Coordinates of all heavy atoms in Angstrom, one line a residue:
M1 N 94.9 81.5 116.9 CA 93.8 81.3 117.8 C 94.1 80.3 118.9 O 94.7 79.2 118.6 CB 92.6 80.8 117.0 CG 91.4 80.4 117.8 SD 90.0 79.8 116.9 CE 89.5 81.3 116.1
R2 N 93.7 80.6 120.1 CA 94.0 79.8 121.3 C 92.7 79.0 121.6 O 91.6 79.5 121.5 CB 94.3 80.6 122.5 CG 95.6 81.4 122.4 CD 95.7 82.4 123.5 NE 94.5 83.2 123.5 CZ 94.2 84.0 124.6 NH1 94.9 84.0 125.7 NH2 93.1 84.8 124.5
A3 N 92.9 77.7 121.8 CA 91.7 76.8 122.1 C 92.0 76.0 123.3 O 93.1 75.4 123.5 CB 91.4 76.0 120.9
S4 N 91.0 75.8 124.2 CA 91.0 74.9 125.2 C 90.4 73.6 124.7 O 89.2 73.6 124.2 CB 90.1 75.4 126.4 OG 90.7 76.5 127.0
V5 N 91.1 72.5 124.6 CA 90.7 71.3 124.0 C 90.4 70.3 125.1 O 91.4 69.9 125.8 CB 91.8 70.8 123.0 CG1 91.3 69.5 122.4 CG2 92.0 71.8 121.9
L6 N 89.2 69.8 125.2 CA 88.8 68.8 126.1 C 88.5 67.5 125.3 O 87.6 67.6 124.5 CB 87.7 69.3 127.0 CG 88.1 70.4 127.8 CD1 87.4 71.7 127.4 CD2 88.0 70.1 129.3
H7 N 89.2 66.4 125.6 CA 89.2 65.3 124.7 C 88.9 64.0 125.5 O 89.6 63.8 126.5 CB 90.5 65.2 124.0 CG 90.8 64.0 123.2 ND1 92.0 63.3 123.4 CD2 90.1 63.4 122.2 CE1 92.0 62.3 122.5 NE2 90.9 62.3 121.8
N8 N 88.0 63.2 125.0 CA 87.8 61.8 125.5 C 88.7 60.9 124.6 O 88.3 60.7 123.4 CB 86.4 61.4 125.4 CG 86.2 60.0 125.9 OD1 87.1 59.3 126.2 ND2 84.9 59.6 126.0
P9 N 89.8 60.4 125.0 CA 90.7 59.6 124.2 C 90.1 58.2 123.8 O 90.6 57.6 122.9 CB 91.9 59.5 125.0 CG 91.6 59.7 126.4 CD 90.4 60.6 126.4
T10 N 89.0 57.8 124.5 CA 88.4 56.5 124.1 C 86.9 56.6 124.0 O 86.1 56.0 124.7 CB 88.7 55.5 125.3 OG1 88.2 56.0 126.5 CG2 90.2 55.2 125.4
P11 N 86.4 57.4 123.0 CA 85.0 57.5 122.7 C 84.4 56.2 122.1 O 85.2 55.3 121.8 CB 84.9 58.7 121.8 CG 86.1 58.6 121.0 CD 87.2 58.2 122.0
G12 N 83.1 56.2 122.0 CA 82.4 55.0 121.5 C 82.9 54.4 120.2 O 82.9 53.2 119.9
S13 N 83.4 55.3 119.3 CA 83.8 54.8 117.9 C 85.2 54.3 117.9 O 85.6 53.8 116.8 CB 83.5 55.9 116.9 OG 84.4 57.0 117.1
G14 N 86.0 54.4 118.9 CA 87.3 54.0 118.9 C 88.3 55.1 119.5 O 87.8 56.1 119.8
E15 N 89.5 54.8 119.5 CA 90.5 55.7 120.1 C 91.0 56.7 119.1 O 91.2 56.4 117.9 CB 91.7 54.9 120.7 CG 91.3 54.1 121.8 CD 92.4 53.4 122.5 OE1 93.6 53.8 122.3 OE2 92.2 52.3 123.1
V16 N 91.1 57.9 119.5 CA 91.8 59.0 118.7 C 92.9 59.5 119.6 O 92.7 60.0 120.7 CB 90.8 60.1 118.4 CG1 91.5 61.2 117.7 CG2 89.7 59.6 117.5
A17 N 94.1 59.3 119.2 CA 95.3 59.7 120.0 C 95.4 61.2 120.1 O 95.1 62.0 119.2 CB 96.6 59.2 119.3
A18 N 95.7 61.6 121.3 CA 95.8 63.1 121.6 C 96.8 63.7 120.7 O 96.5 64.8 120.2 CB 96.2 63.2 123.1
Q19 N 97.9 63.1 120.4 CA 98.9 63.7 119.6 C 98.4 63.9 118.2 O 98.7 64.9 117.5 CB 100.3 63.0 119.6 CG 100.2 61.6 119.1 CD 100.0 60.6 120.2 OE1 99.5 60.9 121.3 NE2 100.3 59.3 119.9
D20 N 97.6 63.0 117.7 CA 97.0 63.2 116.3 C 96.0 64.4 116.3 O 96.0 65.2 115.4 CB 96.3 61.9 115.9 CG 97.3 60.8 115.7 OD1 98.5 61.0 115.4 OD2 96.8 59.6 115.7
L21 N 95.2 64.4 117.3 CA 94.2 65.5 117.4 C 94.9 66.9 117.5 O 94.6 67.8 116.8 CB 93.3 65.3 118.7 CG 92.4 66.4 119.1 CD1 91.4 66.7 118.0 CD2 91.7 66.1 120.4
L22 N 96.0 67.0 118.4 CA 96.7 68.2 118.6 C 97.4 68.6 117.3 O 97.5 69.8 117.0 CB 97.6 68.1 119.7 CG 96.9 67.9 121.1 CD1 97.9 67.7 122.2 CD2 96.0 69.1 121.4
A23 N 98.0 67.7 116.6 CA 98.7 68.0 115.3 C 97.7 68.5 114.3 O 98.0 69.5 113.6 CB 99.4 66.7 114.8
A24 N 96.5 68.0 114.2 CA 95.5 68.4 113.2 C 95.1 69.9 113.6 O 94.9 70.7 112.7 CB 94.3 67.5 113.2
L25 N 94.9 70.1 114.9 CA 94.5 71.5 115.3 C 95.6 72.5 115.0 O 95.4 73.6 114.5 CB 94.1 71.5 116.7 CG 92.8 70.8 117.1 CD1 92.7 70.6 118.6 CD2 91.6 71.5 116.5
A26 N 96.8 72.1 115.3 CA 98.0 73.0 115.1 C 98.1 73.3 113.6 O 98.4 74.4 113.2 CB 99.3 72.4 115.6
A27 N 97.9 72.3 112.7 CA 98.0 72.5 111.3 C 96.9 73.4 110.8 O 97.1 74.1 109.7 CB 97.9 71.1 110.6
A28 N 95.8 73.6 111.5 CA 94.8 74.5 111.2 C 95.0 75.9 111.8 O 94.1 76.7 111.7 CB 93.4 73.9 111.6
G29 N 96.1 76.1 112.4 CA 96.4 77.4 113.0 C 95.9 77.6 114.4 O 95.8 78.7 114.8
I30 N 95.5 76.5 115.0 CA 95.0 76.6 116.4 C 96.0 76.2 117.4 O 96.6 75.2 117.2 CB 93.7 75.7 116.5 CG1 92.6 76.2 115.6 CG2 93.2 75.7 118.0 CD1 91.4 75.3 115.5
A31 N 96.2 77.1 118.4 CA 97.2 76.8 119.5 C 96.4 76.1 120.6 O 95.7 76.7 121.4 CB 97.8 78.0 120.0
P32 N 96.4 74.8 120.7 CA 95.6 74.0 121.6 C 96.2 73.9 123.0 O 97.4 73.8 123.2 CB 95.5 72.6 121.0 CG 96.7 72.5 120.2 CD 97.1 73.8 119.8
R33 N 95.4 74.0 124.0 CA 95.7 73.7 125.4 C 94.9 72.5 125.7 O 93.7 72.6 125.9 CB 95.4 74.9 126.3 CG 95.7 74.6 127.8 CD 95.4 75.8 128.7 NE 96.2 77.0 128.3 CZ 95.6 78.2 127.9 NH1 94.3 78.3 127.8 NH2 96.4 79.2 127.6
Y34 N 95.5 71.4 125.9 CA 94.9 70.1 125.9 C 94.6 69.6 127.4 O 95.4 69.8 128.3 CB 95.8 69.0 125.3 CG 95.2 67.6 125.3 CD1 94.4 67.2 124.4 CD2 95.6 66.8 126.4 CE1 93.8 65.9 124.4 CE2 95.0 65.5 126.4 CZ 94.2 65.1 125.4 OH 93.7 63.8 125.5
R35 N 93.5 68.9 127.5 CA 93.1 68.3 128.8 C 92.2 67.1 128.4 O 91.3 67.2 127.7 CB 92.4 69.2 129.7 CG 92.2 68.7 131.1 CD 93.5 68.5 131.9 NE 94.3 69.7 132.0 CZ 94.4 70.6 133.0 NH1 93.7 70.4 134.1 NH2 95.2 71.6 132.9
S36 N 92.6 65.9 128.9 CA 91.7 64.7 128.8 C 90.5 64.9 129.7 O 90.7 65.2 130.9 CB 92.5 63.5 129.1 OG 91.6 62.4 129.2
T37 N 89.4 64.5 129.3 CA 88.2 64.5 130.1 C 88.2 63.4 131.2 O 87.4 63.4 132.1 CB 86.9 64.5 129.3 OG1 86.9 63.3 128.5 CG2 86.7 65.7 128.5
E38 N 89.2 62.5 131.0 CA 89.3 61.4 132.0 C 90.1 61.9 133.3 O 90.1 61.2 134.3 CB 90.0 60.2 131.4 CG 89.1 59.6 130.3 CD 89.7 58.4 129.7 OE1 90.9 58.1 129.9 OE2 89.0 57.7 128.9
E39 N 90.7 63.1 133.2 CA 91.4 63.6 134.3 C 90.4 64.2 135.3 O 89.5 64.9 134.9 CB 92.4 64.7 133.9 CG 93.6 64.1 133.0 CD 94.5 65.2 132.6 OE1 94.8 66.2 133.3 OE2 95.0 65.1 131.5
P40 N 90.6 64.0 136.6 CA 89.7 64.5 137.6 C 89.5 66.1 137.5 O 88.5 66.6 137.8 CB 90.2 64.1 138.9 CG 91.5 63.5 138.7 CD 91.7 63.3 137.2
N41 N 90.5 66.8 137.2 CA 90.5 68.2 137.2 C 90.4 68.8 135.8 O 90.9 69.9 135.5 CB 91.7 68.8 137.9 CG 93.0 68.3 137.3 OD1 93.0 67.5 136.4 ND2 94.1 68.9 137.7
F42 N 89.8 68.1 134.9 CA 89.8 68.5 133.5 C 89.2 69.9 133.3 O 89.6 70.6 132.4 CB 89.0 67.5 132.6 CG 87.5 67.6 132.7 CD1 86.8 68.4 131.8 CD2 86.8 66.9 133.7 CE1 85.4 68.5 131.9 CE2 85.4 67.0 133.7 CZ 84.8 67.8 132.8
A43 N 88.2 70.3 134.1 CA 87.6 71.6 133.9 C 88.4 72.8 134.2 O 88.1 73.9 133.8 CB 86.3 71.6 134.7
E44 N 89.5 72.6 134.8 CA 90.4 73.7 135.2 C 90.9 74.4 133.9 O 91.2 75.6 133.9 CB 91.6 73.3 136.0 CG 91.2 72.9 137.4 CD 92.4 72.4 138.2 OE1 93.5 72.3 137.7 OE2 92.2 72.1 139.4
V45 N 91.1 73.7 132.8 CA 91.5 74.3 131.6 C 90.5 75.4 131.1 O 90.9 76.3 130.4 CB 91.9 73.3 130.5 CG1 90.6 72.7 129.9 CG2 92.8 73.8 129.4
L46 N 89.3 75.2 131.4 CA 88.3 76.2 131.0 C 88.4 77.5 131.7 O 87.8 78.5 131.2 CB 86.9 75.6 131.2 CG 86.5 74.4 130.4 CD1 85.2 73.8 130.9 CD2 86.5 74.7 128.9
E47 N 89.1 77.6 132.8 CA 89.3 78.9 133.5 C 90.4 79.7 132.9 O 90.5 80.9 133.2 CB 89.6 78.6 135.0 CG 88.6 77.8 135.7 CD 87.2 78.4 135.6 OE1 87.1 79.6 135.8 OE2 86.2 77.6 135.5
Q48 N 91.2 79.1 132.0 CA 92.3 79.9 131.3 C 91.8 80.6 130.1 O 90.9 80.1 129.4 CB 93.4 78.9 131.0 CG 94.0 78.2 132.3 CD 95.0 77.2 131.9 OE1 95.5 77.1 130.8 NE2 95.4 76.4 132.9
P49 N 92.4 81.7 129.7 CA 92.0 82.5 128.5 C 92.1 81.6 127.3 O 93.1 80.9 127.1 CB 92.9 83.6 128.5 CG 93.5 83.7 129.8 CD 93.5 82.4 130.4
A50 N 91.1 81.7 126.4 CA 91.0 81.0 125.2 C 90.0 81.6 124.3 O 89.0 82.2 124.8 CB 90.7 79.5 125.3
D51 N 90.2 81.5 123.0 CA 89.2 82.1 122.0 C 88.1 81.1 121.7 O 87.1 81.5 121.1 CB 90.0 82.4 120.7 CG 91.1 83.4 120.9 OD1 90.9 84.5 121.5 OD2 92.3 83.1 120.5
L52 N 88.4 79.8 122.0 CA 87.5 78.7 121.6 C 87.6 77.6 122.5 O 88.7 77.3 123.1 CB 88.0 78.3 120.1 CG 87.3 77.1 119.5 CD1 85.9 77.4 119.1 CD2 88.1 76.7 118.3
V53 N 86.5 76.9 122.7 CA 86.5 75.6 123.5 C 86.2 74.5 122.5 O 85.3 74.6 121.7 CB 85.5 75.7 124.6 CG1 85.4 74.3 125.3 CG2 85.8 76.8 125.6
V54 N 87.0 73.4 122.6 CA 86.8 72.3 121.7 C 86.4 71.1 122.5 O 87.2 70.7 123.4 CB 88.0 72.0 120.8 CG1 87.8 70.8 120.0 CG2 88.4 73.2 120.0
A55 N 85.3 70.5 122.3 CA 84.9 69.2 122.9 C 85.1 68.1 121.9 O 84.3 68.1 120.9 CB 83.4 69.3 123.4
A56 N 86.0 67.3 122.1 CA 86.4 66.2 121.1 C 86.0 64.9 121.8 O 86.7 64.4 122.7 CB 87.8 66.3 120.8
G57 N 85.0 64.3 121.3 CA 84.5 63.0 121.8 C 83.1 62.7 121.4 O 82.6 63.2 120.4
G58 N 82.4 62.0 122.2 CA 81.0 61.6 121.9 C 80.0 62.5 122.6 O 80.4 63.5 123.2
D59 N 78.8 62.1 122.6 CA 77.7 62.8 123.2 C 78.0 63.1 124.7 O 77.8 64.2 125.2 CB 76.4 62.1 123.1 CG 76.0 61.9 121.7 OD1 76.3 62.7 120.8 OD2 75.3 60.8 121.4
G60 N 78.5 62.1 125.4 CA 78.8 62.2 126.8 C 79.9 63.3 127.1 O 79.8 64.0 128.1
T61 N 80.8 63.3 126.2 CA 81.9 64.3 126.4 C 81.4 65.7 126.2 O 81.7 66.6 126.9 CB 83.0 64.0 125.3 OG1 83.5 62.7 125.5 CG2 84.2 65.0 125.4
V62 N 80.6 65.9 125.2 CA 80.0 67.2 124.9 C 79.2 67.7 126.1 O 79.3 68.8 126.6 CB 79.2 67.2 123.6 CG1 78.4 68.6 123.4 CG2 80.0 66.9 122.4
V63 N 78.3 66.8 126.7 CA 77.5 67.2 127.8 C 78.4 67.5 129.0 O 78.2 68.4 129.8 CB 76.5 66.0 128.2 CG1 75.9 66.2 129.5 CG2 75.5 65.9 127.1
K64 N 79.5 66.7 129.2 CA 80.4 66.9 130.3 C 81.1 68.3 130.2 O 81.2 69.0 131.2 CB 81.4 65.8 130.3 CG 82.3 65.6 131.5 CD 83.1 64.4 131.4 CE 83.9 64.1 132.6 NZ 84.7 62.8 132.5
V65 N 81.5 68.6 129.0 CA 82.2 69.9 128.8 C 81.2 71.1 129.0 O 81.5 72.0 129.7 CB 82.9 70.0 127.4 CG1 83.4 71.4 127.1 CG2 84.0 68.9 127.4
I66 N 80.1 71.0 128.4 CA 79.1 72.1 128.5 C 78.7 72.3 130.0 O 78.5 73.4 130.4 CB 77.9 71.8 127.6 CG1 78.3 72.0 126.2 CG2 76.7 72.8 128.0 CD1 77.2 71.6 125.2
G67 N 78.6 71.2 130.7 CA 78.2 71.3 132.1 C 79.2 72.0 133.0 O 78.9 72.6 134.0
Q68 N 80.5 72.1 132.5 CA 81.5 72.8 133.3 C 81.9 74.1 132.7 O 82.7 74.9 133.3 CB 82.8 71.9 133.3 CG 82.6 70.6 134.0 CD 82.3 70.8 135.5 OE1 82.9 71.7 136.1 NE2 81.4 70.1 136.0
L69 N 81.3 74.5 131.6 CA 81.6 75.7 130.9 C 80.9 76.9 131.5 O 79.7 77.1 131.4 CB 81.2 75.6 129.4 CG 81.6 76.7 128.5 CD1 83.2 76.9 128.5 CD2 81.2 76.4 127.1
R70 N 81.6 77.7 132.2 CA 81.0 78.9 132.9 C 80.9 80.1 132.0 O 79.9 80.8 132.1 CB 81.8 79.2 134.1 CG 82.1 78.1 135.0 CD 81.6 78.3 136.4 NE 82.0 77.2 137.3 CZ 81.5 76.0 137.4 NH1 80.5 75.7 136.5 NH2 81.9 75.1 138.2
D71 N 81.9 80.3 131.2 CA 81.9 81.5 130.3 C 81.2 81.0 129.0 O 81.8 80.5 128.1 CB 83.3 81.9 130.0 CG 83.4 83.1 129.0 OD1 82.3 83.6 128.6 OD2 84.5 83.5 128.7
R72 N 79.9 81.3 128.9 CA 79.2 80.9 127.7 C 79.3 81.8 126.5 O 78.7 81.6 125.5 CB 77.7 80.8 128.1 CG 77.4 79.8 129.2 CD 77.5 78.4 128.8 NE 77.4 77.5 129.9 CZ 76.4 76.6 130.0 NH1 75.5 76.4 129.2 NH2 76.5 75.8 131.1
S73 N 80.2 82.8 126.6 CA 80.4 83.7 125.5 C 81.4 83.2 124.5 O 81.5 83.6 123.4 CB 80.8 85.1 126.0 OG 82.1 85.1 126.6
R74 N 82.2 82.2 125.0 CA 83.2 81.6 124.1 C 82.6 80.6 123.2 O 81.8 79.8 123.6 CB 84.3 80.9 124.9 CG 85.4 81.9 125.4 CD 86.5 81.2 126.0 NE 86.2 80.7 127.3 CZ 86.9 80.0 128.1 NH1 88.1 79.6 127.7 NH2 86.5 79.6 129.3
P75 N 83.0 80.6 121.9 CA 82.4 79.6 121.0 C 82.8 78.2 121.4 O 83.9 78.0 121.9 CB 83.0 80.0 119.7 CG 83.6 81.3 119.8 CD 83.9 81.5 121.3
L76 N 82.0 77.2 121.1 CA 82.2 75.8 121.4 C 82.2 75.1 120.1 O 81.2 75.1 119.3 CB 81.1 75.3 122.3 CG 81.2 73.8 122.6 CD1 82.4 73.4 123.4 CD2 79.9 73.3 123.3
A77 N 83.3 74.4 119.8 CA 83.4 73.5 118.6 C 83.3 72.1 119.1 O 83.9 71.7 120.1 CB 84.7 73.8 117.9
I78 N 82.5 71.3 118.4 CA 82.3 69.9 118.7 C 83.0 69.1 117.6 O 82.7 69.2 116.4 CB 80.8 69.5 118.8 CG1 80.1 70.3 119.9 CG2 80.6 68.0 119.0 CD1 78.6 70.2 119.9
L79 N 84.0 68.3 118.0 CA 84.6 67.3 117.1 C 84.0 65.9 117.4 O 84.3 65.3 118.4 CB 86.1 67.3 117.3 CG 86.9 68.5 116.9 CD1 88.3 68.3 117.2 CD2 86.6 68.8 115.5
P80 N 83.0 65.5 116.6 CA 82.3 64.3 116.9 C 83.1 63.0 116.7 O 83.4 62.6 115.5 CB 81.1 64.3 115.9 CG 81.6 65.1 114.8 CD 82.6 66.1 115.3
L81 N 83.5 62.4 117.8 CA 84.4 61.2 117.7 C 83.7 60.0 118.3 O 84.3 58.9 118.4 CB 85.7 61.5 118.5 CG 86.5 62.7 118.0 CD1 87.7 62.8 119.0 CD2 87.0 62.5 116.6
G82 N 82.4 60.1 118.7 CA 81.7 59.1 119.4 C 81.1 58.1 118.4 O 81.2 58.2 117.2
G83 N 80.3 57.2 119.0 CA 79.6 56.2 118.1 C 78.3 56.7 117.5 O 78.0 56.5 116.4
A84 N 77.5 57.4 118.3 CA 76.2 57.9 117.8 C 76.2 59.3 117.4 O 75.7 59.7 116.3 CB 75.1 57.7 118.9
N85 N 76.8 60.2 118.2 CA 76.9 61.6 117.9 C 75.5 62.2 117.5 O 75.3 62.8 116.5 CB 77.9 61.9 116.7 CG 79.3 61.5 117.0 OD1 79.8 61.8 118.1 ND2 79.9 60.7 116.1
N86 N 74.6 62.0 118.5 CA 73.2 62.4 118.2 C 72.7 63.5 119.2 O 71.6 63.5 119.5 CB 72.3 61.2 118.2 CG 72.3 60.5 119.5 OD1 73.0 60.9 120.5 ND2 71.6 59.4 119.6
I87 N 73.7 64.3 119.7 CA 73.3 65.3 120.6 C 72.3 66.2 120.0 O 72.1 67.1 119.6 CB 74.4 66.0 121.3 CG1 75.4 66.6 120.2 CG2 75.2 65.1 122.2 CD1 76.4 67.6 120.8

């Protein structure tokens, strides 16, 4: 399974290293295409083919990713890494 992974490396609850996140996804059989949401062009990864979109971060990260997601037919997985996670 191919996934576009959009990650906030410094969410409210602390840092989650990109390499740790990518290793966990790969161990689950997911081929991740990674982009940090701190990069100015982070949404470009959403234009590439993928079976799944992963928003890894807090509430703000999820809102940021959904706001840029044009193809709403792809499933969205939320990895709650923030402090409140109350979306």
Side-chain angles (χ1 to χ4, degrees):
M1 175 180 287
R2 298 171 300 164
S4 297
V5 179
L6 296 116
H7 171 231
N8 179 355
T10 56
S13 66
E15 293 184 23
V16 175
Q19 61 268 19
D20 294 337
L21 173 62
L22 296 175
L25 291 170
I30 297 172
R33 181 178 296 120
Y34 178 87
R35 189 68 53 101
S36 169
T37 57
E38 294 180 354
E39 294 179 34
N41 59 349
F42 78 92
E44 288 177 359
V45 74
L46 295 172
E47 303 302 322
Q48 299 175 12
D51 303 306
L52 174 69
V53 173
V54 177
D59 300 330
T61 301
V62 174
V63 170
K64 193 173 186 179
V65 170
I66 290 173
Q68 296 296 318
L69 188 59
R70 308 238 187 284
D71 179 3
R72 303 283 171 120
S73 67
R74 280 189 282 176
L76 172 69
I78 299 171
L79 293 179
L81 304 176
N85 298 313
N86 59 4
I87 54 170

